[in-house]
Amino acid sequence: MSELMIESLQAALPAERFSTSEDVLASYAVDLGPVQDRWLPAAVVWAESIEDVQAVMRLADLHGVPVVCRGAGTGLSGGAHATPGSVVLSLERMKRILEIHPEDEVARVEPGVINADLNAAAARHGLMYAPDPASYRLSTIGGNIATNAGGLRCAKYGVTRESVLGLDVVLADGSLINTGRRTFKGVAGYDLTGLFVGSEGTLGVVVGATLRLRYLPTEVQTIAAFFPEVTAAAAGVLAVGKARVQPSIMELLDGHTLAQLDQDQGSDLRRRGGALLLIQTDGYGAGIEATIIRSVLSELGATMMAEVSEEALELVELRRHSRGAEIDDVFRVGEDVAVPRSQLVHYIAELERIAAERGVGLKVVAHAGDGNLHPMFWVPAAQAEKIPDLDAALDESIEIGLRLGGTITGEHGVGQYKLRWLLLEQREEVLELQRGIKELFDPKGLLNPGKALPERVEPQVS
Amino acid sequence: MSELMIESLQAALPAERFSTSEDVLASYAVDLGPVQDRWLPAAVVWAESIEDVQAVMRLADLHGVPVVCRGAGTGLSGGAHATPGSVVLSLERMKRILEIHPEDEVARVEPGVINADLNAAAARHGLMYAPDPASYRLSTIGGNIATNAGGLRCAKYGVTRESVLGLDVVLADGSLINTGRRTFKGVAGYDLTGLFVGSEGTLGVVVGATLRLRYLPTEVQTIAAFFPEVTAAAAGVLAVGKARVQPSIMELLDGHTLAQLDQDQGSDLRRRGGALLLIQTDGYGAGIEATIIRSVLSELGATMMAEVSEEALELVELRRHSRGAEIDDVFRVGEDVAVPRSQLVHYIAELERIAAERGVGLKVVAHAGDGNLHPMFWVPAAQAEKIPDLDAALDESIEIGLRLGGTITGEHGVGQYKLRWLLLEQREEVLELQRGIKELFDPKGLLNPGKALPERVEPQVS
């Protein structure tokens, strides 16, 4: 990055909103996604206002400097990894909840608001912000929007897109636009809001969001159902669907995950079954729905905890934070393929086959209600020579997910890490249309370059 | 349109898929929206396959001929009005339900499938396609997608966008692409599916759709609550929201609408109240939810029909088909503004003020749960001299809707009729971005020109 850009940023921003110190650069270099090439950014800026964001983008535009937006840095696909010569633009200080309107059932927030903080504020009005990624205690609404984050509750309430009514966005040239609306319905104009949601900071910088809130359920029922095998648990997911009951949460944990939890928590889950379905129903029908689900799963041979069980609730909390429980004496690679629901059983069987054939470990947790899986292949840290087998297992799991009609990413985003797989999922014409959109919004290619969309392959001269 | 295009179409298509006969052109000239300039198309083509659509688009591209796509022609904004020299491309014969997959909870359909036919087929599996515009017995899924149609049930289940997982689209040059996926969740790539939904045939021709189905509720409760005045009924909508109960349907009918129904049906609704709220709850909590709603509305002074009431169910059916009941001895103009829910009471009061000041009649029905209103201003057919007052009332109602934080169109689309109002809702920078997208997808401007987006105003030379 040019010295001129550094000097301009320094001139434009108070000292506490700007840093080039080595340790700061290092701590803002990557998110929680896999790191291939680790680059330090040239500078970190903490925007405190829309004007700050506009100032950064105007300077970036002037000096041709790439800008990588960042919320809490909890992304899992490298979408916020710094690229060479980039400015990392942190939105974490823009964390005001501007409005919660209980009658409109709408919130307006700055992008740095933590998901859990918004939910705490909404709960005081009997409302909730539905999308609840596992990172909800850490991750920001802006980051959730950038990846169109899912979570546990989206089985019933939909993903981030379904809760975003409108956005304030600073474009690549520093101009500010508003998309969408404050009303629940509206069809005026193309869906620019939807275009920004999930675009991973490559089309604009989200500096404000108008969000739809939902009713906080008065009643919640939790079911913890143990199955002898993971395929039986996956069949349970389909059986609940066949009973036409819509749970708010339907999580699947395989036996390896249970064993891991036992090791970390001193529990005895693995002894009680080879797989666990954690199901919640909510709302005024929660009781009846839970009764139906219990009956359906019981017919399939599930063993269930008592009807009101503190332990079941604790398990849901454990599942919510399962990433935090990871230990670091293994190498691991994980993904978030989603498959059509009918393929759940078959896909899990395929994952087990892949792990066995490659001689690597496997743990599977899944947002099973949505067909969205988080399988993880692993080998002990002492077996670094097996890392290529891990990668091969991962690649094969992606290919098979696609062959079963699935997608490479249900909720984590493409970021930097999954670009190579996106080429397997989407045809060149479709990628090319997206590149056209990217060029329209960001003609100089300054917004998070090298993320979300694979580079154009220039035609060979024959 | 060039003779060459006509000849090429004739050569490319069997005779029964093509017509230039005067009466056919006349019956495909307009949809159900207001007609300003009535143009006949140069030809009508009935596509029977994706290849037919591709052939038409390739020829249109070659000869520079505009193409207006059309489903059942039930649109209300002139989105399918023919434009000079255009080919009307009817998709009504592409009406195969290609697949209903009960485990995946997904349907794949051709664009000409009638909404009600899909619902009938899904119901055999305990499933439903949630979006239910009032036209659902006539309108096509393709047309619903083109306008991002809403309906009664979207209070709970969301609009068309929330039920579309993926699309097959023929682009302006005749090439075929697939967007989206078959899984419920997925964040690979920009949201092209969302971009096509609601784009009113201006970005591509939808030739296939993968749709998410929902569980057909086993229990439905219907509440018909009469209020002395329409503002009291609107307050009832907010009170139900405050009780944090989510109805599947919440429709408001004002006193004038009730009087109209009485006249058409021989009922005595108007005598029983000055406004009616029709509410349905569904699912396993329907009974408890209905009890809560009854209690809330009763506190507000509502008079309710008996708990199980055939009449209440019939009223919902009447409401569903209320457009069909219109008589033709009046001039009328109607709209579909949506406002934030808290503004419902105030907006209806403003509509009544406008009607009184302009000396015109007013009827209001509303998808009140969504804040989406269908007010209609009218004068008797004998008072043609008052038509300018009608238009002035309509314009004022739009301006006030916008001032209250609303949108010009909740579910009908901009089409041709609302272009002038879109300029009031969206700023030039936002329109310009959309024009850029339009040019990217349709560089020659052949797809439904003059719809959905106002033309660029070329800068004045000063």
Side-chain angles (χ1 to χ4, degrees):
Chain A
M1 183 166 64
S2 69
E3 274 309 305
L4 218 52
M5 175 74 179
I6 301 269
E7 283 165 26
S8 308
L9 282 171
Q10 267 172 327
L13 297 164
E16 73 277 10
R17 298 184 203 166
F18 172 84
S19 178
T20 53
S21 98
E22 199 69 18
D23 55 333
V24 168
L25 300 184
S27 63
Y28 282 81
V30 295
D31 61 24
L32 297 182
V35 178
Q36 281 154 335
D37 302 304
R38 186 187 182 90
W39 292 92
L40 291 191
V44 175
V45 170
W46 295 269
E48 298 191 4
S49 66
I50 293 176
E51 292 69 28
D52 285 352
V53 174
Q54 290 186 286
V56 170
M57 289 316 304
R58 283 195 201 105
L59 291 174
D61 182 55
L62 183 68
H63 298 293
V65 170
V67 174
V68 179
C69 292
R70 182 184 172 102
T74 56
L76 296 169
S77 304
H81 285 355
T83 45
S86 61
V87 171
V88 166
L89 175 57
S90 168
L91 285 310
E92 66 197 304
R93 292 187 191 165
M94 291 181 67
K95 59 180 178 192
R96 284 181 304 162
I97 297 174
L98 301 170
E99 179 190 7
I100 290 186
H101 196 300
E103 287 196 328
D104 287 349
E105 298 161 14
V106 157
R108 283 193 313 116
V109 301
E110 290 186 331
V113 169
I114 305 290
N115 181 305
D117 292 345
L118 173 57
N119 265 299
R124 290 195 279 276
H125 303 279
L127 296 167
M128 66 176 181
Y129 175 67
D132 59 344
S135 60
Y136 76 105
R137 287 188 187 169
L138 304 169
S139 64
T140 64
I141 298 297
N144 294 173
I145 289 170
T147 56
N148 193 11
L152 279 66
R153 289 196 289 231
C154 58
K156 179 169 179 176
Y157 294 100
V159 295
T160 296
R161 173 69 194 97
E162 269 92 73
S163 288
V164 178
L165 299 174
L167 294 173
D168 310 317
V169 181
V170 171
L171 297 179
D173 63 1
S175 62
L176 174 69
I177 64 163
N178 314 109
T179 72
R181 51 197 66 83
R182 191 186 169 93
T183 55
F184 291 170
K185 285 162 74 179
V187 293
Y190 297 151
D191 184 10
L192 297 182
T193 307
L195 201 53
F196 284 112
V197 174
S199 66
E200 305 190 86
T202 62
L203 299 179
V205 186
V206 171
V207 293
T210 304
L211 305 171
R212 178 172 184 171
L213 303 174
R214 313 272 170 172
Y215 301 153
L216 194 64
T218 43
E219 198 187 342
V220 175
Q221 295 269 336
T222 306
I223 298 166
F226 289 94
F227 291 82
E229 291 185 0
V230 67
T231 46
V237 173
L238 294 184
V240 171
K242 202 168 178 187
R244 304 298 180 227
V245 176
Q246 178 65 65
S248 55
I249 289 179
M250 184 146 58
E251 298 290 309
L252 184 152
L253 291 74
D254 75 350
H256 307 291
T257 305
L258 297 181
Q260 177 76 62
L261 284 172
D262 288 343
Q263 191 180 318
D264 300 343
Q265 312 283 333
S267 47
D268 68 338
L269 302 172
R270 181 65 188 84
R271 194 187 53 73
R272 291 150 82 184
L276 175 63
L277 272 189
L278 277 174
I279 299 177
Q280 280 190 339
T281 57
D282 72 11
Y284 292 102
I288 311 170
E289 290 172 349
T291 303
I292 296 171
I293 291 173
R294 284 175 166 276
S295 152
V296 163
L297 297 184
S298 161
E299 276 172 39
L300 285 179
T303 318
M304 275 162 284
M305 289 188 189
E307 244 177 77
V308 177
S309 158
E310 275 302 309
E311 193 189 358
L313 276 174
E314 278 163 24
L315 282 172
V316 173
E317 283 310 295
L318 270 183
R319 165 63 193 102
R320 278 193 187 279
H321 310 121
S322 57
R323 289 196 69 86
E326 280 161 14
I327 46 164
D328 270 309
D329 57 354
V330 298
F331 293 110
R332 72 174 76 83
V333 291
E335 262 328 308
D336 83 314
V337 163
V339 296
R341 285 165 52 105
S342 66
Q343 301 301 322
L344 262 178
V345 179
H346 183 51
Y347 188 57
I348 291 175
E350 284 286 87
L351 291 172
E352 294 192 326
R353 178 191 58 74
I354 294 169
E357 283 181 12
R358 308 265 178 191
V360 300
L362 170 70
K363 288 197 306 180
V364 180
V365 296
H367 304 309
D370 292 321
N372 185 193
L373 301 102
H374 296 311
M376 181 182 292
F377 297 105
W378 61 276
V379 292
Q383 297 180 16
E385 75 281 3
K386 296 213 70 171
I387 290 180
D389 295 310
L390 278 186
D391 289 332
L394 192 62
D395 279 336
E396 189 179 352
S397 76
I398 298 283
E399 282 157 27
I400 288 177
L402 287 173
R403 210 181 301 152
L404 298 181
T407 176
I408 62 170
T409 176
E411 58 179 13
H412 291 172
V414 170
Q416 192 180 62
Y417 187 59
K418 297 176 200 169
L419 287 173
R420 68 188 189 281
W421 296 326
L422 189 56
L423 293 166
L424 305 176
E425 177 166 345
Q426 297 191 339
R427 280 163 51 196
E428 181 57 24
E429 312 89 270
V430 172
L431 294 171
E432 195 55 24
L433 270 178
Q434 295 173 73
R435 291 188 194 109
I437 291 172
K438 167 71 176 172
E439 285 162 8
L440 177 68
F441 282 76
D442 179 22
K444 296 184 185 171
L446 301 178
L447 285 165
N448 214 4
K451 314 288 175 65
L453 261 183
E455 305 264 310
R456 183 176 288 134
V457 181
E458 297 299 335
Q460 303 286 319
V461 180
S462 63
Chain B
M1 183 165 65
S2 69
E3 275 310 304
L4 218 52
M5 175 74 179
I6 300 269
E7 284 165 25
S8 308
L9 282 172
Q10 267 172 327
L13 296 165
E16 73 277 8
R17 297 183 204 168
F18 173 83
S19 177
T20 54
S21 98
E22 199 70 17
D23 56 332
V24 168
L25 300 185
S27 64
Y28 282 80
V30 294
D31 62 23
L32 297 182
V35 178
Q36 281 154 335
D37 302 305
R38 186 187 182 90
W39 292 92
L40 292 191
V44 175
V45 170
W46 294 269
E48 298 190 4
S49 67
I50 293 175
E51 292 70 28
D52 285 353
V53 173
Q54 290 187 286
V56 170
M57 289 316 305
R58 282 195 201 106
L59 291 173
D61 182 54
L62 184 66
H63 298 292
V65 170
V67 174
V68 179
C69 292
R70 182 184 171 102
T74 56
L76 296 169
S77 304
H81 285 356
T83 44
S86 62
V87 171
V88 166
L89 174 59
S90 169
L91 285 310
E92 65 197 305
R93 292 188 191 165
M94 291 181 67
K95 58 181 177 191
R96 284 182 305 162
I97 297 173
L98 301 169
E99 179 190 7
I100 290 187
H101 196 299
E103 286 196 329
D104 286 350
E105 299 161 11
V106 157
R108 283 192 314 116
V109 301
E110 290 186 331
V113 169
I114 305 291
N115 182 304
D117 292 345
L118 173 58
N119 264 299
R124 290 195 279 277
H125 302 279
L127 296 166
M128 67 176 181
Y129 175 67
D132 59 344
S135 60
Y136 76 104
R137 287 188 188 168
L138 304 170
S139 65
T140 65
I141 298 297
N144 294 172
I145 289 171
T147 56
N148 193 11
L152 278 65
R153 288 195 290 230
C154 58
K156 178 168 179 175
Y157 294 100
V159 295
T160 296
R161 172 69 194 96
E162 270 93 72
S163 288
V164 178
L165 298 174
L167 293 174
D168 310 317
V169 181
V170 172
L171 297 179
D173 63 1
S175 62
L176 174 69
I177 64 163
N178 315 108
T179 72
R181 51 196 67 83
R182 190 185 170 93
T183 53
F184 292 169
K185 286 162 75 178
V187 294
Y190 298 151
D191 185 10
L192 297 182
T193 306
L195 202 53
F196 283 113
V197 174
S199 66
E200 305 189 85
T202 63
L203 299 180
V205 186
V206 171
V207 294
T210 303
L211 305 171
R212 178 171 184 172
L213 303 175
R214 312 273 170 169
Y215 301 152
L216 194 63
T218 43
E219 198 187 344
V220 175
Q221 295 270 334
T222 305
I223 298 166
F226 289 95
F227 290 81
E229 291 184 359
V230 67
T231 46
V237 173
L238 293 185
V240 171
K242 202 168 177 186
R244 303 300 180 226
V245 176
Q246 179 64 64
S248 55
I249 290 179
M250 184 145 58
E251 298 291 308
L252 183 153
L253 292 74
D254 75 349
H256 307 291
T257 304
L258 297 181
Q260 178 76 60
L261 284 172
D262 288 343
Q263 191 181 316
D264 300 342
Q265 312 282 334
S267 48
D268 68 338
L269 301 172
R270 181 65 189 85
R271 193 186 53 72
R272 291 150 81 186
L276 176 63
L277 271 190
L278 277 175
I279 298 177
Q280 280 190 341
T281 57
D282 72 12
Y284 292 101
I288 310 170
E289 289 172 350
T291 303
I292 296 171
I293 291 172
R294 286 175 165 276
S295 151
V296 163
L297 297 184
S298 159
E299 275 171 39
L300 285 180
T303 318
M304 274 161 285
M305 289 188 189
E307 245 178 75
V308 177
S309 158
E310 275 302 310
E311 193 189 356
L313 276 174
E314 278 164 25
L315 281 172
V316 172
E317 282 310 296
L318 270 183
R319 166 63 192 102
R320 278 193 186 280
H321 310 120
S322 57
R323 291 197 68 85
E326 278 162 15
I327 46 165
D328 271 309
D329 58 354
V330 298
F331 294 109
R332 73 173 76 81
V333 290
E335 263 327 308
D336 83 313
V337 163
V339 296
R341 286 165 51 106
S342 65
Q343 300 301 323
L344 261 179
V345 179
H346 183 50
Y347 188 57
I348 291 176
E350 284 286 86
L351 291 172
E352 294 192 326
R353 178 191 59 74
I354 294 169
E357 283 181 12
R358 308 266 179 190
V360 301
L362 171 70
K363 288 198 306 181
V364 180
V365 294
H367 304 308
D370 292 320
N372 185 194
L373 301 102
H374 297 312
M376 182 182 290
F377 297 104
W378 61 276
V379 293
Q383 298 181 17
E385 76 282 2
K386 296 213 68 171
I387 290 180
D389 295 311
L390 278 185
D391 289 331
L394 191 62
D395 279 337
E396 189 179 351
S397 76
I398 298 284
E399 282 158 28
I400 288 177
L402 287 172
R403 210 180 303 152
L404 298 181
T407 175
I408 62 169
T409 176
E411 58 179 13
H412 292 172
V414 169
Q416 193 180 63
Y417 187 60
K418 297 175 200 168
L419 288 173
R420 69 188 190 282
W421 295 326
L422 189 56
L423 293 166
L424 304 177
E425 178 166 344
Q426 297 190 339
R427 280 163 53 195
E428 180 58 23
E429 311 89 270
V430 173
L431 294 172
E432 196 55 24
L433 271 179
Q434 296 173 72
R435 290 187 194 110
I437 292 172
K438 166 72 175 168
E439 285 162 8
L440 177 69
F441 283 76
D442 179 22
K444 297 183 184 172
L446 302 178
L447 285 164
N448 214 5
K451 313 289 175 63
L453 261 184
E455 305 264 311
R456 182 176 289 134
V457 180
E458 297 301 334
Q460 304 286 318
V461 180
S462 62

